[in-house]
Amino acid sequence: MPYLQLAIPSPLRRLFDYRPPQGCSPESLRPGVRVKVPFGRREVTGVLIRVTEHTEVPPDKLKAAIAVLDETPPMPESILKLARWAGNYYQHPLGDALSQALPVLLRKGDPCEYAHQHLWRATADADISQLGKTAARQRELLLLLLEHPNGISEDAIRAEGGQTTLLKKLTDKALAESFIHKPDHGHHDNQPLHEAPLTLNAEQQQAVHAIITADGFKTFLLQGVTGSGKTEVYLQAIEHFIRQGKQALILVPEIGLTPQTVARFKARFNLPVVVLHSNLTDRQRLDAWLQAREGVARIIIGTRSAIFTPLKFPGVIFIDEEHDTSFKQQDGFRYNARDLAVMRGNFEQIPVVLGTATPAIESLYNAQQGRYQWLKLNQRAGNALPPKFELLDIRQLPLQDGLSAPLVQQIKDHLKQGTQVLIFLNRRGFAPTLMCHDCGWLADCNRCDAHMTLHRKPFHLHCHHCDSQRPVPTTCNSCGSTELKPVGAGTERTEEALQKLFPGFPVIRVDRDTTQRKNAMQQIMDRVHQGLPCILIGTQMLAKGHHFPKVTLVAILNADSGLFSADFRGMERTAQLILQVAGRAGRADHPGKVVMQTHHADHPTITSLVTEGYQAFAQQELSQRIAAHLPPSMHCAMFRAEARHPGMAERALRKLRDLLEPDILQPQGIQWLGPLPSPMEKRAGLFRAQLVLQSRDRKALHQQLQNIIREAEGDPEARKVRWSVDVDPVDML
Ligand SMILES: [Zn+2]
Ligand SMILES: [Zn+2]
Ligand SMILES: [Zn+2]
């Protein structure tokens, strides 16, 4: 008797066997179809991996599946393959990996089909003269319907001021009818463009040519300085694939997916563009996913998880801002969408383009090793000049709420000239912490090894690591003194200081606290784009996606923040951020200036970044990593464990290491680092430890990871802690 072998979303790294549901002939089932099954006390949706004749499960333990949900698998073969590959590579349970590759509604077992959207239209022989003069509202409504021969939804009718309550009257008079909308399958291929493409310079032409003649799988690193017209290269390369009847998938970082980005694509292409972002409802997401799968949507723009969007006619994949760490999922299924894109390109035999002004050191390494073809755009469009950098040595200078006197003077000068100023401070809140002036006590989080951030509006203490909040104490916890002082400056404090210093100019703060409301960011941008002189102060939200053509001065208040990070990528991140922030200024006719406040004006890393640019900095960084045997010259994986009591996580990891040590000493060249307490040992009430494995031999490393996971799953000690494995970790903390 045949059995169904299913992948089921659960932490268990195995498949599960079931008897077929009643009346089902398993021979006809295709791998990839969803099957609803009882699992523990719940009902879950699994994915069929294969039909098998044998099972190890004793017959009395074997349950019957409840129902087969699909005739054809929702995920095409290629995506199934990608998700399986990813589960395997990132050492994540297959059932959960497959489940996460599906839209939420399909995970829940909903039918794999479009929403039945009801639309209204005028009937074919509707005649407006049938409506008498007294029925003015009905006439208005009918006119509205006549303007929308393809149908209009009730929501849209209301938005246009029409009265949906009158639809029934029109229906009774055979003037209006409702129908079920099917997404547009029309062909726009004859006229795919709304607007003519821009003229390319020689570098851009070469880049477009390389991408469109790739012929099958190839990975490109497209490194273009800010203002070099990277997006125009994307658009013209995409046009080529569109004209061949294919689709393009564009991944952008969460924070970079702005209305401006999307508008640029919609303005260029006279084709269905779908956007997969976090504000979509599950229903909208499934519809967009289906449009991509059926080839209706020709351009798909989305964030990390969009890498699993099926394409009927795969043409090309772009990863914009490829260095951005948001492409790596940091919990659960820890995949990296950028790296998966390269694998997907290989499976689907299409080109993959990684675009950025500041490549990740990994990508740079791959380009230098010849694994990626390196395309460079060094020329800025028009006559735009690169921003001029100035290091402002603040070693002897007093800082007033984060600002030095020479910087305040420069801000004044630029505002007087009628331009805008952008101030970058990657720390939100009023102050990084609160300190007792008498005894030095600091307001620490009870659940983390971290200080609590002081917020002014509303007045409270907030831990940015575990999100816990508490009222601000009036007396010191340790000595009872009332002399509690905020230490250091966050965006809220510097905003207040700027308001006092420049009362005649608007100060606009952009951070997570000021942009939570829907459309808040858009309103801020509209205000800034009016072009009047103002001061923008904000965190990295300012660095990505948005352009500020009127900004002529960019000030980076704390340029040193990455220099002494416990994460070896700390300086790389800071350099990328600085360059991105700097790139917001100095567009077209306004040359820009970037002032960096630093306590380390003679540090070689800072000076090389400022005087020679990102490329020189990155090269130096890469040589140092190779010398120190760090990624990307080594493959890396990290075991993390967390437990309620100190020492437990570390002990569990040590035991695993000891169990396997004899194997490790074999000539596989695997290095162990740890186990050690994590740099922030206590977080959200849990004590954490980590064990890093490194090797030049990826296969040996993965073999060893599997051994450890097997041990960990069988070890009672390990089962008492929460452990996880992170392959190619990007966050080492
Ligand atoms: Zn005190
Ligand atoms: Zn906060
Ligand atoms: Zn905390």
Side-chain angles (χ1 to χ4, degrees):
M1 171 178 167
Y3 303 102
L4 310 184
Q5 209 161 64
L6 304 177
I8 291 194
S10 97
L12 300 173
R13 288 159 207 270
R14 40 171 286 232
L15 300 175
F16 295 85
D17 296 348
Y18 284 85
R19 282 191 321 239
Q22 279 211 336
C24 157
S25 52
E27 298 78 16
S28 62
L29 295 181
R30 291 169 55 187
V33 296
R34 293 171 302 149
V35 184
K36 186 183 252 183
V37 294
F39 190 74
R41 284 193 209 110
R42 298 173 300 144
E43 284 182 7
V44 300
T45 308
V47 172
L48 180 68
I49 299 300
R50 62 180 73 85
V51 177
T52 162
E53 286 298 322
H54 302 283
T55 176
E56 306 284 306
V57 186
D60 57 318
K61 290 259 168 71
L62 205 60
K63 292 186 191 161
I66 298 163
V68 175
L69 300 177
D70 305 300
E71 257 170 52
T72 53
M75 278 187 274
E77 190 64 45
S78 59
I79 297 299
L80 208 52
K81 189 173 166 188
L82 183 71
R84 290 185 72 162
W85 186 90
N88 207 2
Y89 180 86
Y90 292 103
Q91 306 288 338
H92 192 74
L94 178 63
D96 197 53
L98 291 180
S99 176
Q100 291 205 35
L102 287 168
V104 171
L105 288 185
L106 297 188
R107 289 178 212 167
K108 289 183 180 161
D110 279 27
C112 187
E113 59 191 27
Y114 288 107
H116 295 292
Q117 197 192 7
H118 289 271
L119 296 185
W120 290 89
R121 66 186 165 208
T123 49
D125 44 8
D127 181 359
I128 197 149
S129 60
Q130 277 176 261
L131 289 171
K133 283 216 173 98
T134 48
R137 292 249 167 76
Q138 292 181 47
R139 287 178 78 102
E140 260 172 45
L141 183 59
L142 183 55
L143 277 173
L144 185 65
L145 297 183
L146 286 166
E147 280 169 26
H148 295 86
N150 295 325
I152 178 168
S153 70
E154 292 193 15
D155 282 345
I157 291 172
R158 276 189 290 270
E160 299 269 348
Q163 286 192 357
T164 48
T165 45
L166 297 175
L167 285 166
K168 190 171 180 307
K169 288 207 165 141
L170 293 186
T171 312
D172 292 344
K173 293 176 186 151
L175 293 171
E177 62 188 7
S178 76
F179 64 103
I180 290 171
H181 168 69
K182 290 254 164 55
D184 182 10
H185 283 71
H187 292 281
H188 308 255
D189 296 21
N190 300 333
Q191 280 212 323
L193 298 189
H194 276 309
E195 57 172 26
L198 306 178
T199 309
L200 300 180
N201 66 28
E203 284 177 338
Q204 288 173 311
Q205 271 173 28
Q206 279 164 16
V208 171
H209 182 76
I211 296 165
I212 67 178
T213 54
D215 190 27
F217 168 62
K218 192 168 197 177
T219 308
F220 297 92
L221 175 61
L222 176 63
Q223 182 177 1
V225 298
T226 318
S228 62
K230 238 181 319 129
T231 312
E232 189 60 31
V233 171
Y234 296 0
L235 291 169
Q236 297 199 20
I238 288 170
E239 180 190 340
H240 166 88
F241 293 99
I242 294 292
R243 288 189 189 277
Q244 290 185 333
K246 295 180 181 164
Q247 294 165 284
L249 173 64
I250 301 116
L251 296 195
V252 295
E254 187 73 48
I255 201 170
L257 185 56
T258 62
Q260 286 171 329
T261 313
V262 176
R264 192 119 187 237
F265 283 86
K266 288 192 170 165
R268 175 65 56 89
F269 294 104
N270 176 30
L271 290 166
V273 175
V274 301
V275 185
L276 294 157
H277 55 76
S278 50
N279 287 340
L280 293 187
T281 63
D282 290 342
R283 183 66 251 177
Q284 289 169 322
R285 190 169 272 272
L286 176 55
D287 283 349
W289 189 87
L290 287 167
Q291 288 178 42
R293 189 187 73 167
E294 282 161 26
V296 179
R298 304 297 299 283
I299 296 173
I300 296 92
I301 307 175
T303 49
R304 179 177 63 225
S305 63
I307 189 58
F308 294 111
T309 311
L311 301 177
K312 188 165 191 188
F313 311 111
V316 64
I317 302 175
F318 283 87
I319 311 291
D320 190 31
E321 309 288 357
E322 65 87 28
H323 62 276
D324 196 283
T325 51
S326 74
F327 288 121
K328 170 89 177 183
Q329 184 144 299
Q330 302 284 14
D331 51 18
F333 186 11
R334 294 173 168 79
Y335 64 92
N336 187 323
R338 175 195 64 199
D339 298 343
L340 278 186
V342 174
M343 193 42 68
R344 180 169 179 178
N346 190 357
F347 289 162
E348 297 187 333
Q349 284 300 299
I350 57 173
V352 178
V353 183
L354 313 181
T356 177
T358 51
I361 305 291
E362 283 86 1
S363 301
L364 202 68
Y365 184 67
N366 281 325
Q368 286 180 351
Q369 300 277 308
R371 277 191 285 272
Y372 300 167
Q373 187 178 337
W374 204 348
L375 306 170
K376 292 178 201 169
L377 308 175
N378 294 317
Q379 233 178 304
R380 281 162 195 265
N383 295 321
L385 296 166
K388 248 181 61 191
F389 282 88
E390 179 188 312
L391 283 181
L392 182 53
D393 190 345
I394 51 171
R395 261 173 289 196
Q396 309 292 331
L397 298 177
L399 292 186
Q400 187 70 52
D401 302 312
L403 305 161
S404 66
L407 178 61
V408 170
Q409 184 56 46
Q410 296 208 35
I411 296 173
K412 192 177 288 174
D413 294 345
H414 280 261
L415 290 174
K416 252 194 221 154
Q417 289 162 21
T419 59
Q420 299 176 339
V421 174
L422 187 158
I423 293 173
F424 175 67
L425 176 59
N426 216 6
R427 235 171 7 203
R428 65 200 167 96
F430 185 79
T433 189
L434 189 68
M435 188 174 75
C436 170
H437 189 64
D438 289 331
C439 78
W441 171 86
L442 293 165
D444 285 338
C445 177
N446 297 329
R447 310 176 68 217
C448 305
D449 290 330
H451 304 316
M452 293 193 94
T453 300
L454 176 69
H455 284 259
R456 210 29 112 60
K457 285 178 211 149
F459 198 49
H460 71 290
L461 291 171
H462 183 199
C463 174
H464 286 176
H465 300 281
C466 72
D467 206 31
S468 62
Q469 309 194 10
R470 62 172 200 247
V472 182
T474 47
T475 55
C476 170
N477 272 12
S478 171
C479 76
S481 160
T482 51
E483 289 293 297
L484 298 180
K485 297 269 189 293
V487 184
T491 47
E492 212 183 349
R493 184 175 201 169
T494 307
E495 175 196 27
E496 272 191 30
L498 289 163
Q499 281 166 345
K500 280 185 202 132
L501 284 164
F502 303 102
F505 297 94
V507 178
I508 303 165
R509 174 156 63 95
V510 180
D511 57 28
R512 229 193 297 168
D513 299 314
T514 61
T515 53
Q516 268 173 359
R517 269 179 309 110
K518 215 181 159 197
N519 298 328
M521 193 69 180
Q522 195 51 46
Q523 282 164 14
I524 289 173
M525 290 307 137
D526 291 346
R527 216 173 140 197
V528 177
H529 287 147
Q530 286 171 4
L532 297 172
C534 66
I535 304 172
L536 274 156
I537 161 126
T539 58
Q540 57 178 325
M541 297 192 84
L542 278 177
K544 295 173 187 182
H546 299 281
H547 303 303
F548 305 105
K550 293 281 164 141
V551 167
T552 54
L553 176 67
V554 171
I556 290 156
L557 295 196
N558 184 8
D560 304 333
S561 57
L563 269 183
F564 309 103
S565 167
D567 188 334
F568 67 86
R569 291 189 181 90
M571 195 55 219
E572 176 189 349
R573 300 273 152 70
T574 305
Q576 288 162 348
L577 258 178
I578 289 176
L579 271 270
Q580 265 181 353
V581 177
R584 304 300 108 203
R587 296 252 153 164
D589 52 332
H590 293 280
K593 183 173 179 190
V594 182
V595 177
M596 292 162 60
Q597 292 192 148
T598 174
H599 285 99
H600 302 275
D602 38 22
H603 194 289
T605 307
I606 299 262
T607 48
S608 88
L609 180 64
V610 167
T611 55
E612 297 167 80
Y614 184 80
Q615 189 58 40
F617 157 82
Q619 202 59 53
Q620 197 177 311
E621 190 75 10
L622 176 58
S623 323
Q624 282 171 11
R625 294 229 193 128
I626 293 173
H629 302 289
L630 286 169
S633 65
M634 296 284 250
H635 302 297
C636 177
M638 188 189 267
F639 269 81
R640 291 192 185 87
E642 37 185 45
R644 300 235 157 258
H645 304 286
M648 244 177 108
E650 204 180 333
R651 262 200 311 282
L653 290 180
R654 186 171 311 279
K655 188 171 170 210
L656 283 182
R657 196 198 67 174
D658 292 346
L659 278 172
L660 288 152
E661 191 120 54
D663 291 343
I664 305 306
L665 295 177
Q666 286 169 12
Q668 290 180 322
I670 294 179
Q671 293 174 358
W672 297 89
L673 304 165
L676 288 169
S678 304
M680 182 186 291
E681 185 179 6
K682 192 175 156 201
R683 190 161 80 187
L686 294 172
F687 293 85
R688 312 175 320 137
Q690 58 194 38
L691 172 62
V692 173
L693 276 77
Q694 289 199 153
S695 175
R696 285 189 203 289
D697 182 348
R698 194 184 281 285
K699 238 180 159 175
L701 180 69
H702 276 247
Q703 189 54 55
Q704 203 51 259
L705 285 178
Q706 280 166 13
N707 292 340
I708 303 179
I709 289 169
R710 210 174 23 247
E711 292 290 344
E713 286 186 329
D715 179 31
E717 191 100 12
R719 268 192 255 132
K720 283 188 225 152
V721 304
R722 199 153 75 190
W723 58 269
S724 61
V725 55
D726 190 350
V727 176
D728 305 333
V730 301
D731 177 4
M732 308 299 286
L733 298 183

